[in-house]
Amino acid sequence: EPLAVGFHAAMQGGARAGQTAVVMGAGCIGLVTMMALKAMGVSKVYVVDIMEKRLRKAMELGADGVINGAQADAVEEVRKLTGGLGADVVVNTIPSPAVWDSAIQTLAPYGRLIAYSSQDSKTPIGVDFGMMHSREIEFIGTLNPTIEDNDMAVKLIAYGLIDMEEVIDGRFSFEQGKEAFAAAMKLGAYRVIIKY
């Protein structure tokens, strides 16, 4: 299910070989989106997060580079990595107004911002529609994968192209449900499985 979600977001971006993508957030959805983009042949995929542990995991799983948003300006760093152009596709998995602003500013002309992360509708996010118009950038919302996305996720796992073991932090028996939920709630946790 998480891989189908990430694959769906990657497909919405329409990125392909020769293009650059940035994934905002290195949680489970961010990591599987990054892996899906790489499996689709996107030339360079960079990941932004503020947790070093997650950034190390992103590098282990094939990111072409990582940016610690707490230590550097993500927009400036992406511009450096892309020769001043910005990214063709940006997938945001973090519901933060500041991150949305960075995601928008990180886009190259004709770029696509894939809005995976939900955002509280009561918290406005400023958008410069003049810039959107002049740079011809697109905003695309995404949430639920299709049946085809689920089918592709199964194939990506079955063919060994993506190893989901990398985003599983632990397995617990049904009787250990309380411990499983405690593990899942820890800061920086990925996925926890309860075996029935």
Side-chain angles (χ1 to χ4, degrees):
E1 183 272 336
L3 180 55
V5 168
F7 181 77
H8 183 70
M11 288 295 288
Q12 292 284 71
R16 56 194 179 278
Q19 291 192 323
T20 302
V22 170
V23 177
M24 301 293 220
C28 183
I29 298 300
L31 290 179
V32 296
T33 301
M34 181 269 299
M35 292 189 286
L37 286 161
K38 295 295 287 184
M40 292 166 55
V42 175
S43 296
K44 297 286 182 184
V45 182
Y46 303 106
V47 177
V48 179
D49 203 287
I50 60 170
M51 294 179 65
E52 282 297 329
K53 172 187 170 190
R54 287 186 167 190
L55 293 171
R56 283 192 302 273
K57 176 67 90 171
M59 287 300 293
E60 289 170 16
L61 297 178
D64 293 290
V66 295
I67 300 162
N68 187 321
Q71 298 176 0
D73 183 314
V75 177
E76 287 182 18
E77 293 302 312
V78 169
R79 296 235 181 264
K80 286 179 194 172
L81 292 167
T82 59
L85 296 174
D88 300 296
V89 174
V90 176
V91 180
N92 184 22
T93 69
I94 303 172
S96 160
V99 175
W100 282 115
D101 184 58
S102 290
I104 293 166
Q105 297 301 321
T106 299
L107 284 169
Y110 311 104
R112 287 177 153 192
L113 171 62
I114 308 306
Y116 170 76
S117 177
S118 60
Q119 179 67 40
D120 183 348
S121 61
K122 295 176 194 70
T123 306
I125 298 168
V127 176
D128 179 348
F129 279 93
M131 178 200 66
M132 187 177 178
H133 159 78
S134 63
R135 292 171 58 197
E136 294 191 41
I137 57 178
E138 296 178 57
F139 298 165
I140 301 168
T142 182
L143 177 62
N144 295 318
T146 64
I147 291 171
E148 291 80 12
D149 296 325
N150 281 283
D151 183 53
M152 183 55 72
V154 170
K155 289 177 180 173
L156 288 168
I157 294 168
Y159 298 155
L161 296 172
I162 293 180
D163 182 5
M164 291 300 292
E165 290 292 326
E166 296 292 339
V167 292
I168 298 172
D169 280 337
R171 289 179 169 80
F172 296 84
S173 69
F174 181 73
E175 293 75 24
Q176 295 174 300
K178 187 175 179 182
E179 293 88 345
F181 277 95
M185 295 300 293
K186 286 183 182 172
L187 184 64
Y190 291 114
R191 287 293 191 259
V192 171
I193 292 174
I194 296 176
K195 298 180 287 182
Y196 290 89

